[in-house]
Amino acid sequence: MPAHRTFRRLLTVPTLASALVLAACSSAPAPKSLPPAAPAAVATPMAQEAQAIMRSASASLVSGKLTLTPVQGGVRIAGIVGGLPASGRFGFHVHETGDCSAVDASSAGGHFNPTHQPHGSAKIGAHHLGDMDNIVADAEGVARIDTLLGGVLLGGGGSTDLVGRALVVHANPDDYATQPAGNAGPRVACGVIKVIR
Ligand code: CU
Ligand code: ZN
């Protein structure tokens, strides 16, 4: 019995060593660590509520706060934007990039358009998924917004997910026709859509 054990050990040790040498000589670069385990079933979770704090852009006085909640068929966007010229109408869209850092909010990119459609009216015909109706300011320059944006999701990380996009208010009304953005003029407020819960 003891002799048999020694024999096995002698056999085992060189075998392991040659395996290591083989691995080291292999032409493919040796992985620095084990490959990550197969992604667990934790996709980006769906959100119950998100928020966009609308901050002034292009030296405007416009600001506000919008809350986004998932509803059947889309996402409800509701809240208040103030500091607008009284009784005006203003373009309002989801833009592609959640970056409002540029003074003119150009960093937010173009309209959110994962389905590659032309700009248009959210109500009729082809349009960007981020296209919405103009917002309307009252005599005090306050717009009370409560709109349903169809065909989009809140969370989940898919192409129609609004999280990490930006909401933008423009200086002029959207004509729902001019490409690529409805001729709505400068961006006067911008807010990144962030998950609250
Ligand atoms: Cu816009
Ligand atoms: Zn558009």
Side-chain angles (χ1 to χ4, degrees):
M1 278 301 276
H4 182 64
R5 258 189 204 159
T6 311
F7 179 63
R8 278 182 64 175
R9 202 165 288 161
L10 282 171
L11 237 184
T12 308
V13 170
T15 305
L16 228 185
S18 46
L20 286 171
V21 168
L22 268 175
C25 294
S26 136
S27 58
K32 286 198 172 66
S33 59
L34 287 170
V42 276
T44 309
M46 299 307 293
Q48 293 176 276
E49 185 179 353
Q51 206 172 60
I53 304 297
M54 305 299 292
R55 294 195 166 89
S56 157
S58 308
S60 79
L61 299 172
V62 183
S63 64
K65 185 175 126 179
L66 296 164
T67 299
L68 297 89
T69 46
V71 293
Q72 187 71 39
V75 171
R76 180 184 178 195
I77 302 175
I80 286 180
V81 171
L84 293 158
S87 310
R89 292 160 60 243
F90 309 94
F92 178 54
H93 318 110
V94 179
H95 284 239
E96 194 170 31
T97 310
D99 179 356
C100 296
S101 61
V103 287
D104 60 357
S106 57
S107 47
H111 292 184
F112 181 48
N113 183 24
T115 54
H116 309 289
Q117 296 295 308
H119 177 71
S121 162
K123 290 215 169 75
I124 313 149
H127 57 273
H128 301 140
L129 275 187
D131 291 344
M132 294 182 282
D133 286 357
N134 290 317
I135 60 171
V136 181
D138 64 15
E140 274 73 51
V142 174
R144 287 173 179 79
I145 297 165
D146 192 348
T147 190
L148 169 65
L149 185 54
V152 295
L153 294 170
L154 201 58
S159 64
T160 63
D161 183 0
L162 293 188
V163 173
R165 311 289 175 183
L167 283 168
V168 172
V169 176
H170 291 262
N172 303 318
D174 183 337
D175 64 13
Y176 307 134
T178 305
Q179 301 302 321
N183 197 29
R187 304 170 181 198
V188 293
C190 181
V192 179
I193 299 169
K194 294 178 177 170
V195 173
I196 299 300
R197 61 188 172 93

